[in-house]
Amino acid sequence: MNWKKEFLDLYTSEDNNLFNKALELKKENFPKYIYRYRSLEDGSLKYRLDEIENATLYLSHPKDLNDPFEACSCLESTNLSTYAPKEKFKERYKDLLSKEEFTAIFESEDWFDKLIMKVFSTGSTNDGNNDKEKIKEIIMSEFIRLNSELSKITRNHIRLACFTTKANNLPMWSHYADNHKGFCFEFCMDDISNVYQRNRLLPVIYVIKIPDVTKLMLTRKKPKFILFDFMAIHKINDWKYEDEWRLIYNVGSWYYSLDEVPNEFWEKGKKIQFIKPSRIILGANIKEDNKRIIIELARRLNISVVQAKITEFGLEFE
């Protein structure tokens, strides 16, 4: 089994004893280094220098990232049978339906529709069918509302920082380091002594379709932060080239209750203390002035600096 799939099964299991096993499995598969690409465009140099000198890390609000489906849930189906708690309905109607009716309804893929048709049957065929369709529409609209609200709450409650496992990822240099004019932080995982941060570093899982967390929420009783994490670590396969890990905090990382949360929190990211980079990799096209400033600061802080070069053999580091 793919270790990420095994990790996710353990992490979201209803058996709380498996949670620590999930963290151990993740620890066994930590990459040696993680990388964070940084742009120097739009006057951001002073913020980057702060990240270097003070070992700070900016956790972004999901709305500020470039994927519109960040930390979202997408409904799996318009079939109500996907969401209704089948076992509870079977228990409720086992003595109210004949054996034949019970079997015909609950062995069908669209069992909930059939149950509605049976329970809400009326003498007038046309009016009865219309009423049943309205009931189905109302119930489905509630699932849509619930899913939308869940996505909204999750996006407002979490803050995250993105890393990758590769320093020579050309699309990453292009998309996140201003076409090689920025730079890349290298962080050694062994340097992260903060247990909370090690636990909150999670691998991104790439999927064909954004998962339906509404369904997960209805079928598994898990703490809110597990649902938040589940949504934050799933991205569609289009982003697979990023090979991403994420440091994910939620509102509970800073505040004991929602009453303590200042209003400005809900719209902004959050800066935290992290670790000093083990190395700084300058982009192949970085401006000389930026290069000089970063090298001077890094030398003062005893941080190794190299520069990427575009060669006939690919992207190489000095």
Side-chain angles (χ1 to χ4, degrees):
M1 179 188 291
N2 179 290
W3 80 264
K4 290 183 182 180
K5 174 66 167 60
E6 184 180 357
F7 162 76
L8 191 63
D9 289 343
L10 293 171
Y11 199 70
T12 60
S13 170
E14 292 186 70
D15 184 352
N16 291 327
N17 293 325
L18 298 179
F19 182 79
N20 288 333
K21 288 186 177 181
L23 296 182
E24 283 300 316
L25 178 62
K26 176 170 66 76
K27 181 180 178 181
E28 293 170 6
N29 288 277
F30 270 153
K32 183 172 179 58
Y33 298 100
I34 52 177
Y35 300 89
R36 183 161 166 84
Y37 291 85
R38 309 307 281 153
S39 171
L40 289 171
E41 63 181 348
D42 300 330
S44 59
L45 177 62
K46 65 176 182 178
Y47 301 108
R48 304 295 172 250
L49 296 179
D50 177 68
E51 292 174 336
I52 298 170
E53 185 164 22
N54 298 308
T56 59
L57 185 70
Y58 186 74
L59 304 178
S60 298
H61 191 300
K63 70 178 177 60
D64 296 326
L65 300 178
N66 55 5
D67 181 358
F69 289 99
E70 285 289 355
C72 283
S73 168
C74 287
L75 291 178
E76 179 181 320
S77 172
T78 57
N79 186 345
L80 292 173
S81 301
T82 303
Y83 303 100
K86 188 175 185 178
E87 293 306 314
K88 290 184 179 180
F89 277 100
K90 287 175 73 173
E91 182 65 25
R92 172 71 176 83
Y93 286 98
K94 66 179 181 180
D95 297 323
L96 299 177
L97 298 171
S98 69
K99 184 177 180 179
E100 292 77 13
E101 290 173 329
F102 186 90
T103 300
I105 289 173
F106 288 103
E107 289 188 358
S108 171
E109 288 188 5
D110 57 345
W111 64 269
F112 194 70
D113 286 3
K114 283 184 167 55
L115 184 62
I116 289 177
M117 298 291 279
K118 175 63 181 177
V119 173
F120 293 97
S121 58
T122 64
S124 173
T125 303
N126 290 334
D127 289 344
N129 285 338
N130 289 337
D131 289 343
K132 286 171 245 178
E133 290 303 318
K134 287 180 182 177
I135 291 170
K136 288 163 59 178
E137 288 178 10
I138 291 171
I139 296 174
M140 194 66 225
S141 69
E142 282 302 300
F143 280 116
I144 293 172
R145 183 196 62 77
L146 174 63
N147 186 74
S148 176
E149 191 65 20
L150 179 59
S151 294
K152 179 181 178 181
I153 290 172
T154 300
R155 288 167 66 85
N156 281 336
H157 277 62
I158 68 170
R159 300 293 180 268
L160 53 91
C162 306
F163 304 88
T164 183
T165 60
K166 298 176 181 178
N168 60 349
N169 189 319
L170 289 176
M172 298 289 283
W173 276 107
S174 177
H175 299 160
Y176 300 107
D178 192 22
N179 289 314
H180 301 262
K181 293 192 289 288
F183 65 94
C184 178
F185 285 127
E186 176 187 86
F187 297 105
C188 179
M189 292 291 279
D190 290 340
D191 291 342
I192 305 176
S193 59
N194 185 311
V195 175
Y196 183 76
Q197 291 183 345
R198 289 181 70 86
N199 287 343
R200 301 306 300 145
L201 266 167
L202 301 172
V204 169
I205 297 171
Y206 300 96
V207 291
I208 296 174
K209 185 179 183 296
I210 297 297
D212 187 342
V213 182
T214 302
K215 183 179 178 182
L216 177 70
M217 185 179 68
L218 293 171
T219 57
R220 299 191 185 185
K221 296 179 180 179
K222 298 300 297 180
K224 284 183 180 179
F225 81 90
I226 297 292
L227 292 175
F228 293 162
D229 292 347
F230 186 90
M231 295 171 74
I233 66 173
H234 279 89
K235 292 173 72 74
I236 60 172
N237 284 331
D238 299 40
W239 301 97
K240 195 171 184 177
Y241 72 92
E242 294 184 345
D243 193 19
E244 190 177 346
W245 283 71
R246 294 185 154 185
L247 180 62
I248 305 171
Y249 278 43
N250 60 62
V251 66
S253 303
W254 295 287
Y255 307 103
Y256 287 107
S257 73
L258 294 181
D259 293 335
E260 299 177 6
V261 184
N263 289 333
E264 59 266 23
F265 172 85
W266 302 113
E267 291 296 324
K268 296 181 179 180
K270 191 86 170 173
K271 186 167 68 173
I272 63 169
Q273 286 298 126
F274 194 50
I275 60 170
K276 184 176 75 172
S278 55
R279 186 168 62 153
I280 296 173
I281 304 169
L282 303 174
N285 299 325
I286 191 170
K287 294 178 180 178
E288 285 299 318
D289 285 348
N290 291 336
K291 176 180 176 178
R292 175 182 52 78
I293 293 170
I294 292 173
I295 288 177
E296 288 177 359
L297 177 59
R299 283 176 177 167
R300 179 162 60 84
L301 298 172
N302 198 29
I303 300 173
S304 173
V305 179
V306 297
Q307 183 169 10
K309 285 187 176 181
I310 300 170
T311 76
E312 291 81 0
F313 300 98
L315 195 65
E316 296 183 352
F317 305 139
E318 292 179 346

